[in-house]
Amino acid sequence: MSKSSENSTKFVPYIPASKSLPELTVTAIILGIILAVVFGAANAYLGLVIGMTVSASIPAAVISMGILRGIFKKESILENNIVQTITTAGEAIGSGAVFTIPALFMLHIHVHQIMIIFIVLVGGILGVFMMVPLRRLLIVQEHGNLPYPEGTACAEVLKSGEKGGSGALNVLYGVVIGGIFKAIGDGLKLFKTEVETGIYHFKNAIVGLDTMPSLLGVGFIIGPRIAGQMLAGGILAWVVFIPIIGFFGHGNLHHFFPTTTPLTHLGAWDIYDNYIRYIGAGAVAAGGIITLLKTLPTLFSSLKDTISSMSQNKLGAATLERTDRDISMKWVIGVVILFVIIIAVDPIVHVGIIGAIAIAILGFLFVTVSSRIVGIVGSSSSPVSGMTIATLLIVALAYKLTGATGNTGIIMTISVAAIVCTAVAVAGDISQDLKTGYLVGATPWKQQIAMLIGVIASSLVIGFVLYIMNAAYGMGSKALPAPKGVLMKILSQGIMNGQLPWDLIFIGAATAIVIEFLGLNSLTVAVGLYLPIHTSMPIMIGGAVRWLIDRFSMRKEERQARQDSGTLFASGLIAGESLVGVVVAFLIFAKVPMPANVMFTNGLVSVVLFAIVIFSLWFFAFRGSKKGSAK
């Protein structure tokens, strides 16, 4: 600890503490709020489709540089940093919301806007304030030990400001292509956006493809290894489990819980809906808990180091240096205590004293864990699902022991889990942002205020996005699977009501354990098992494009340039399709006449058009080699 602390005192950021540049400006705040809402809606859509989100920091930084430098002729790196900080708040709020709140929609509970705003706003603000006392320990003293991959990468992008113009264009091209594809596919229904085929002489075995640019972009960003593990889960479900169930059910006129239809009458999709969903839910739950258990050593060391650091620093006493000033600890402690009291007595979610205490204890515990873990493995690999599942199980049991059961207990349980999940997601993101700020020389308290602004702006909008998406497509439907939300619903219902096919849940959990022993990421494979193979396939194609680009790039600089260029274009694909998806949902909700039938029903048309999008990803990624070779 002392060694890393000594190293941190010698560190000089890109903009030294003695120099001040425009930072928390009106322009940066307005641009940041706009991007926060945009990326918040995009990540909400993505989370509802595949149960995972992507980082918005680098695309936001590039777009910010393109606008602030290209249009407003501003050249403050700290101002750009504020924009990306506010933007990531929208991404974090979107993650916290879509992983939990859809469960309430699927329970057919009237979920009003004020309730959603309260949950994500309280969770987001607690996530920011609970992270404040951890900054000196994790960002400063552990500077040499915790790399914070996304934060460090974003700092490099900000420092390489001359790349802003072309990089912003890459994002824009992706937005246009992804948006147009979504508009003519799901909006105008010119072609099918899902194609599938059976396997010859292999009953109930299906291979499919969702022609969605956003999934292609996700695959490129996460890379071939993670994408491959997701597809492995899909193959396990659709080429192994479903045919097995169909084989043993052939000619069987009996039905087995949870369906009342004889097995012999069930097709592949029926088997998926009635059996694989529960097996997948058990696998995802077990994978999340396994991921959390693997981090227990880090959890305990984090708590120990945090308590030690806070006592040594006397709750982070303020220093005179601009780059080391946090929000006052008096404000931090006061706001956290005030919000816990509000949660205990609020008439909106009715979680009571038990819920408030759980949020205070589990919230700070998991915020601490998340803030350290993302420093090692990055935000995308943070076990937010595992921490949320653990919270849900603990709180559900506590409520049941005190007599709160049925829908009342389920609503309170999911509300507490949603607040903790949002706090953990926000804390993980602001940790990356504070690392970026530490490297470029930002003012911590200004970044923390920026994050609060982003949390507030995104919280006011995310509920409307969820409401529109549910009204247009239906949470938990084939068009909007909401896998994490379904999991929360299944677990909370199972504990409160006891009406679940627990054997299927345990089969999924056992599968996750086997996968973990095989050396794979059980949670990643489990998500692929839960989702239709149609979703995993385009993700794998995106990962394959990334793999091919790496193989065809001989020099390290050339490979990195192509990866960066492709990542920006892929981010644009995700944002473009997601935003148009929200617009289409709004049009459906507003009862605007939309085409009812697909014009070209031949799946070959869909595949050819999707192949064009794949080629565009390859093309824009390869363009990055020109910039790389020019350096």
Side-chain angles (χ1 to χ4, degrees):
M1 179 65 66
S2 59
K3 185 177 179 181
S4 63
S5 178
E6 181 183 348
N7 290 339
S8 67
T9 59
K10 298 178 182 178
F11 176 77
V12 178
Y14 187 75
I15 303 297
S18 57
K19 184 178 180 180
S20 293
L21 292 177
E23 196 165 354
L24 193 63
T25 64
V26 173
T27 304
I29 291 173
I30 293 174
L31 180 57
I33 289 174
I34 294 172
L35 293 179
V37 171
V38 168
F39 279 95
N43 265 307
Y45 173 85
L46 197 61
L48 290 171
V49 173
I50 63 172
M52 64 185 296
T53 56
V54 295
S55 175
S57 58
I58 291 178
V62 172
I63 293 171
S64 170
M65 286 187 292
I67 294 175
L68 293 182
R69 292 174 181 271
I71 299 176
F72 294 102
K73 307 301 180 184
K74 294 189 174 188
E75 297 184 357
S76 171
I77 188 173
L78 303 187
E79 201 171 5
N80 288 316
N81 182 53
I82 287 294
V83 174
Q84 72 86 17
T85 299
I86 296 175
T87 303
T88 56
E91 166 210 332
I93 290 294
S95 300
V98 300
F99 288 173
T100 49
I101 294 175
L104 298 176
F105 285 96
M106 286 180 274
L107 288 166
H108 304 294
I109 296 167
H110 177 61
V111 186
H112 49 82
Q113 294 293 319
I114 296 177
M115 181 178 180
I116 298 176
I117 292 172
F118 180 85
I119 289 173
V120 295
L121 185 61
V122 168
I125 291 175
L126 286 177
V128 174
F129 277 98
M130 287 180 173
M131 172 55 200
V132 171
L134 302 175
R135 187 192 67 84
R136 281 192 180 85
L137 167 65
L138 300 180
I139 307 299
V140 181
Q141 295 181 20
E142 293 282 356
H143 174 57
N145 301 323
L146 298 177
Y148 286 95
E150 288 98 339
T152 300
C154 187
E156 290 303 314
V157 170
L158 288 172
K159 287 189 284 186
S160 303
E162 67 274 8
K163 295 196 297 185
S166 58
L169 283 177
N170 270 0
V171 177
L172 180 61
Y173 291 140
V175 168
V176 172
I177 292 175
I180 290 175
F181 196 94
K182 181 69 174 179
I184 63 176
D186 285 337
L188 301 178
K189 295 191 181 302
L190 294 183
F191 57 89
K192 296 195 300 183
T193 54
E194 178 186 276
V195 293
E196 67 177 32
T197 181
I199 299 177
Y200 184 64
H201 277 285
F202 194 1
K203 187 176 180 181
N204 286 326
I206 286 179
V207 177
L209 172 71
D210 284 337
T211 56
M212 299 173 65
S214 64
L215 301 184
L216 184 71
V218 168
F220 186 91
I221 291 172
I222 65 178
R225 178 171 174 78
I226 299 177
Q229 292 184 37
M230 280 193 69
L231 181 60
I235 293 173
L236 183 62
W238 289 82
V239 187
V240 181
F241 285 169
I242 290 177
I244 284 177
I245 295 173
F247 175 79
F248 287 109
H250 182 68
N252 192 333
L253 295 178
H254 293 87
H255 70 269
F256 297 94
F257 183 74
T259 182
T260 57
T261 304
L263 281 177
T264 192
H265 295 159
L266 297 180
W269 277 102
D270 298 318
I271 295 172
Y272 169 77
D273 288 333
N274 289 286
Y275 297 100
I276 301 302
R277 277 182 180 269
Y278 292 103
I279 295 174
V284 171
I289 293 173
I290 289 170
T291 305
L292 180 60
L293 290 175
K294 287 163 67 176
T295 64
L296 282 180
T298 304
L299 186 154
F300 292 127
S301 64
S302 296
L303 291 177
K304 179 181 176 182
D305 291 344
T306 300
I307 294 171
S308 173
S309 173
M310 290 177 67
S311 62
Q312 290 173 10
N313 292 325
K314 297 180 181 179
L315 296 180
T319 64
L320 295 177
E321 285 203 338
R322 175 186 62 81
T323 53
D324 200 25
R325 294 177 187 164
D326 292 291
I327 292 176
S328 169
M329 282 303 301
K330 293 179 181 178
W331 279 100
V332 171
I333 296 173
V335 168
V336 171
I337 292 175
L338 175 63
F339 270 68
V340 171
I341 294 173
I342 291 174
I343 292 168
V345 301
D346 87 275
I348 300 174
V349 293
H350 302 286
V351 299
I353 296 176
I354 292 176
I357 293 174
I359 290 168
I361 296 174
L362 297 176
F364 185 73
L365 174 69
F366 291 140
V367 161
T368 303
V369 174
S370 176
S371 297
R372 179 175 285 269
I373 289 177
V374 299
I376 301 171
V377 299
S379 297
S380 301
S381 302
S382 177
V384 175
S385 297
M387 291 182 268
T388 306
I389 292 168
T391 299
L392 185 140
L393 295 176
I394 293 169
V395 173
L397 289 172
Y399 278 134
K400 189 167 185 178
L401 290 174
T402 57
T405 57
N407 270 359
T408 301
I410 292 172
I411 294 170
M412 292 191 298
T413 298
I414 293 175
S415 297
V416 172
I419 291 174
V420 172
C421 179
T422 305
V424 170
V426 168
D429 271 16
I430 194 176
S431 299
Q432 299 286 358
D433 296 332
L434 289 171
K435 180 68 169 186
T436 302
Y438 181 69
L439 294 173
V440 301
T443 309
W445 72 264
K446 291 183 179 180
Q447 272 195 279
Q448 290 153 0
I449 294 295
M451 195 72 178
L452 288 171
I453 292 171
V455 163
I456 294 170
S458 304
S459 298
L460 296 175
V461 175
I462 198 68
F464 179 72
V465 173
L466 293 181
Y467 184 77
I468 293 298
M469 297 295 286
N470 179 63
Y473 303 119
M475 296 288 183
S477 66
K478 188 176 177 181
L480 214 62
K484 298 292 176 65
V486 171
L487 175 61
M488 300 303 161
K489 173 196 169 203
I490 288 174
L491 293 177
S492 58
Q493 275 186 319
I495 294 173
M496 291 296 178
N497 301 334
Q499 296 179 345
L500 273 182
W502 284 106
D503 287 343
L504 296 176
I505 300 288
F506 291 142
I507 289 172
T511 302
I513 294 171
V514 171
I515 291 167
E516 193 69 34
F517 275 114
L518 289 173
L520 302 175
N521 186 312
S522 57
L523 182 58
T524 302
V525 179
V527 170
L529 173 63
Y530 177 85
L531 294 169
I533 192 173
H534 310 60
T535 303
S536 302
M537 191 64 74
I539 293 176
M540 184 65 245
I541 294 173
V545 173
R546 170 77 171 263
W547 179 80
L548 287 171
I549 283 175
D550 290 346
R551 289 296 299 269
F552 278 91
S553 304
M554 301 302 174
R555 293 182 296 108
K556 181 179 179 181
E557 297 81 3
E558 184 179 55
R559 181 168 61 252
Q560 187 61 52
R562 288 172 174 173
Q563 287 179 0
D564 292 345
S565 181
T567 296
L568 292 173
F569 181 76
S571 299
L573 289 177
I574 294 168
E577 184 198 316
S578 302
L579 293 175
V580 172
V582 173
V583 171
V584 170
F586 177 79
L587 294 176
I588 295 173
F589 172 75
K591 295 183 170 48
V592 174
M594 304 282 286
N597 300 312
V598 176
M599 181 178 295
F600 297 105
T601 57
N602 190 329
L604 182 61
V605 175
S606 305
V607 172
V608 170
L609 291 174
F610 194 60
I612 295 173
V613 180
I614 296 170
F615 175 77
S616 69
L617 175 59
W618 172 276
F619 172 77
F620 281 99
F622 253 76
R623 287 182 64 194
S625 61
K626 297 178 181 179
K627 294 186 293 180
S629 61
K631 289 184 178 181

